Amino acid sequence: MSTFLFPYPPIPFHISDETSTLKWEYDRDVAKGLAIDVPKNYFPNNDPAREPLVTWRAHANLLFSNWLNYYVYQETPYDPGALKKKTV
């Protein structure tokens, strides 16, 4: 059983993540003593003591709207009667 809403190629990251989610996960893993690399190009000068830069939000929104347009709106028949019935 798929955990994805649509059975199309999934987006390989969470575009809905808050700006500090990766920082929180990194700090959590460091506190656990895990040998983890600093996420590249996430912190200014790759320094985890600094606040992360948010440079991806516009790209994430564009990717999601393009995905939604292609896989939902372009692939959904205009005639609701043409939709295949699925049993759950």
Side-chain angles (χ1 to χ4, degrees), residues 10-78:
I11 297 173
F13 55 88
H14 301 280
I15 62 173
S16 62
D17 281 352
E18 293 297 321
T19 57
S20 60
T21 300
L22 184 58
K23 178 178 178 14
W24 179 85
E25 292 173 348
Y26 172 77
D27 290 342
R28 177 199 61 200
D29 292 347
V30 167
K32 287 181 179 179
L34 300 176
I36 185 170
D37 293 332
V38 175
K40 293 180 180 170
N41 302 317
Y42 180 68
F43 299 104
N45 296 324
N46 294 316
D47 179 5
R50 299 180 66 188
E51 286 298 311
L53 297 174
V54 181
T55 58
W56 51 264
R57 180 70 72 182
H59 298 285
N61 290 336
L62 181 60
L63 175 68
F64 180 74
S65 63
N66 285 343
W67 173 84
L68 185 64
N69 179 52
Y70 180 77
Y71 284 111
V72 177
Y73 298 128
Q74 299 300 319
E75 296 293 319
T76 302
Y78 181 75

